[in-house]
Amino acid sequence: MVIIDKYKGNKIGVIGLGRTGMSAIRSLLSGGATVIAWDDNQNAIATITSAADQANLIIDSISNKILIINPEQNTYIDQLLVSPGVGISPPKIHPIVQLAIENKTPIISDFDLLAEACPHAHYIGITGTNGKSTTTALIGHIFQSLKRKTEVGGNIGTSVLSLNHLQKDGFYVLEASSFQIERLKHMRFNTAILLNITPDHQDRYNSFEEYAAAKVGIFNYQTSADHAIICTDCPISEQIYLKLKQTSRAKIIPISTQQKLDHGISFLDGKIHVKLDGINDSYMVDDLYYLPGDHNAQNVTASFAAAFLNGLNPEEIIKATLSFKGLEHRMQLVAQKGDLKFINDSKATNADAAAKALQTYDNIYWIAGGICKDHGIEPLSHLFHKIKHAYLVGRASDQFAEILAAHNIPHTKAETLENSIKLLKESSPSAGVVLLSPACASLDQWRNFEERGNAFCRMADEF
Ligand code: UMA
């Protein structure tokens, strides 16, 4: 945990009792602040006040300072820390944020607090619509493999104030969502990466342009000593690259997996090409067994660039990359029986996410279904030719079966994951890919997608 003591004796408001809010509360109370916390969800409050670990409400609110949760009336606060899931601007501004703005109460964020508390560490920030978690985890893996003191957190799941305190020999590798970036007031990323931008989170922004602008904020406080790495394969990020080249003080490094750049870092035909001032080198990358697909090539290139520009040895970076086993539950190769591979993509809880897996593999035994959250699997029909057989589970079975039947795709309503694997085994497939990429939430049959993915891993192992 990073202790925040700059607000000793102050009253700090915190909105949201999730991962960000709870770790901020611990850091602030430990540093001597009084905390007044809000959450709109009564269940969140009940869970916190009853859970064993919080029983004494964070060790009696770190002995002396007071923690008040959901005050009856408006209470004076010196600063307001807002969790990323809570809106800070229209169309989804939270009423407490609105009140704070009217009262001129400064709004603060956990990322900025980390940067202030650990000013000498290096900061690597990663954003983009897709691939940012894999890239964050891969960069973390590379730096840790090469024995650099490294902490990995942010949107990937670990709130930044719960990470360990780092000094000047340390690297924070932080996945930053648009929500986290839009509330930064001074965090300077020594290395900032923008992977791609496509429409997302449309409920929180007035327009796509506004969402894209939030992401570009990752470069805001960079200086001439810093690197801005931008993938130019995506048309929107290419436009941003061209604009930043004119306006930013940072060293702008384009990366691509589609064209060999005259200046920048490209990954083509199994080689990473580095063409930067005074450098013109290429490095072989063997089969990216655990990181298949075009989208992963982009993640690998960005990670290589971040590590290379921070002075790590290129051959060692590639060696570490090849030993990265991927993120759990995301197109994760979990077993191989002869020529039959088992891929756990349980995190694919919507059709868009499942599309990436279907694009990546061929000869697929597809396990799909659960609670369908969007327009179903019709938008995936251009990928159906890759499916050898589909096993449909959970509530969406009938709906999915109808769509697959209309496209003449062999399928079985298997009801459960376990039965899907049993039926598959009976058909004795010798080659191909058994893909759990449900395009659905898991909650009709599982506690969460992790439980579903772990069950699949066990079944794959025993196959
Ligand atoms: N809450 C309110 N009022 C609101 C909204 C939320 O009271 O208007 C309360 C909820 O009842 C809940 C708490 O706020 O108790 C949750 O806060 P939060 O939504 O900010 O979630 P955290 O647990 O703090 O997790 C956040 C990120 N969540 C979001 O941005 C929605 C996590 O990213 C991140 O891992 C974590 O901080 C640590 O940095 C998750 C995410 O879904 C993975 N991110 C989005 C994405 O990737 O698309 C952006």
Side-chain angles (χ1 to χ4, degrees):
M1 174 181 71
V2 174
I3 295 173
I4 303 299
D5 56 11
K6 69 177 278 200
Y7 297 123
K8 192 172 180 167
N10 287 190
K11 262 195 196 163
I12 309 297
V14 173
I15 312 189
L17 295 169
R19 280 165 283 184
T20 307
M22 289 311 294
S23 66
I25 290 170
R26 281 193 191 89
S27 298
L28 289 162
L29 286 170
S30 303
T34 298
V35 176
I36 298 177
W38 288 267
D39 200 292
D40 296 328
N41 182 346
Q42 286 307 316
N43 289 340
I45 297 168
T47 313
I48 280 154
T49 45
S50 63
D53 133 83
Q54 317 286 353
N56 300 320
L57 227 36
I58 317 191
I59 321 178
D60 208 12
S61 300
I62 314 289
S63 298
N64 300 313
K65 294 293 155 190
I66 311 165
L67 167 59
I68 305 164
I69 295 185
N70 276 38
E72 296 282 312
Q73 289 157 1
N74 296 333
T75 316
Y76 172 81
I77 47 170
D78 295 298
Q79 315 274 334
L80 178 64
L81 187 142
V82 188
S83 295
V86 178
I88 56 166
S89 54
K92 271 214 159 171
I93 187 162
H94 192 281
I96 290 175
V97 177
Q98 179 73 49
L99 200 63
I101 293 171
E102 282 162 17
N103 291 338
K104 300 198 168 33
T105 307
I107 291 170
I108 54 175
S109 75
D110 59 340
F111 274 57
D112 275 342
L113 292 184
L114 172 73
E116 281 172 333
C118 306
H120 305 299
H122 295 261
Y123 289 88
I124 300 176
I126 301 99
T127 198
T129 307
N130 294 306
K132 56 188 184 301
S133 295
T134 301
T135 303
T136 303
L138 177 55
I139 294 175
H141 173 80
I142 293 168
F143 276 70
Q144 280 158 356
S145 301
L146 300 189
K147 307 280 178 260
R148 300 302 189 276
K149 284 188 191 145
T150 312
E151 292 283 312
V152 179
N155 193 63
I156 193 168
T158 310
S159 57
V160 297
L161 292 177
S162 61
L163 300 175
N164 288 317
H165 192 111
L166 291 175
Q167 306 291 352
K168 70 170 192 278
D169 57 347
F171 293 85
Y172 285 106
V173 181
L174 306 180
E175 176 182 338
S177 69
S178 54
F179 306 154
Q180 286 162 328
I181 296 170
E182 71 187 5
R183 57 204 68 195
L184 297 180
K185 298 224 174 84
H186 48 79
M187 182 164 213
R188 167 189 159 206
F189 287 105
N190 306 92
T191 309
I193 301 173
L194 172 65
L195 293 170
N196 47 55
I197 304 189
T198 53
D200 200 7
H201 298 303
Q202 291 174 36
D203 57 325
R204 279 279 287 271
Y205 295 97
N206 289 308
S207 62
F208 173 64
E209 288 68 28
E210 214 176 77
Y211 164 68
K215 292 247 171 237
V216 179
I218 196 164
F219 304 112
N220 272 358
Y221 305 104
Q222 291 200 293
T223 69
S224 56
D226 304 326
H227 288 107
I229 299 170
I230 307 175
C231 183
T232 53
D233 295 340
C234 148
I236 305 291
S237 49
E238 186 183 21
Q239 281 171 24
I240 292 166
Y241 160 71
L242 294 171
K243 192 164 170 208
L244 277 185
K245 258 202 332 184
Q246 311 296 326
T247 55
S248 170
R249 286 187 296 159
K251 288 170 247 181
I252 317 280
I253 310 292
I255 60 169
S256 174
T257 61
Q258 288 172 7
Q259 52 172 319
K260 203 165 163 187
L261 299 167
D262 289 338
H263 171 83
I265 299 183
S266 342
F267 183 18
L268 282 171
D269 306 325
K271 276 189 190 160
I272 290 183
H273 307 278
V274 182
K275 251 187 143 191
L276 297 170
D277 303 331
I279 309 172
N280 187 0
D281 289 320
S282 296
Y283 305 95
M284 269 305 279
V285 182
D286 291 337
D287 183 22
L288 285 166
Y289 186 72
Y290 294 108
L291 291 165
D294 294 345
H295 61 288
N296 271 324
Q298 191 177 93
N299 302 335
V300 166
T301 315
S303 304
F304 177 92
F308 182 81
L309 295 167
N310 277 287
L312 303 194
N313 174 287
E315 275 90 9
E316 287 180 17
I317 298 171
I318 291 168
K319 199 168 154 211
T321 302
L322 298 178
S323 70
F324 177 67
K325 298 260 160 54
L327 278 180
E328 273 194 326
H329 310 295
R330 287 185 212 190
M331 284 194 247
Q332 180 195 17
L333 176 67
V334 292
Q336 182 157 5
K337 310 281 158 146
D339 287 331
L340 191 63
K341 289 180 179 173
F342 291 79
I343 307 291
N344 170 22
D345 191 34
S346 179
K347 178 96 201 287
T349 58
N350 57 45
D352 201 31
K356 297 201 175 64
L358 291 174
Q359 256 154 22
T360 302
Y361 307 103
D362 292 302
N363 296 326
I364 298 170
Y365 298 95
W366 186 30
I367 304 173
I371 300 175
C372 179
K373 295 191 294 187
D374 41 23
H375 305 300
I377 52 172
E378 186 61 49
L380 304 178
S381 58
H382 63 292
L383 298 165
F384 285 170
H385 65 280
K386 297 179 149 223
I387 298 167
K388 274 189 129 170
H389 198 103
Y391 295 88
L392 304 175
V393 301
R395 224 181 269 175
S397 294
D398 289 341
Q399 185 196 349
F400 285 12
E402 217 171 282
I403 296 169
L404 291 172
H407 290 271
N408 294 321
I409 303 300
H411 62 277
T412 306
K413 285 199 250 173
E415 290 179 17
T416 63
L417 175 60
E418 197 171 15
N419 197 37
S420 304
I421 298 287
K422 182 171 160 279
L423 294 172
L424 180 70
K425 199 164 183 178
E426 283 167 10
S427 72
S428 316
S430 56
V433 171
V434 183
L435 173 67
L436 171 71
S437 186
C440 281
S442 61
L443 303 174
D444 53 341
Q445 296 184 322
W446 306 94
R447 266 194 304 163
N448 46 43
F449 73 80
E450 286 97 339
E451 191 182 63
R452 174 171 69 186
N454 290 337
F456 176 75
C457 294
R458 275 195 306 280
M459 292 174 205
D461 207 37
E462 290 160 7
F463 195 82

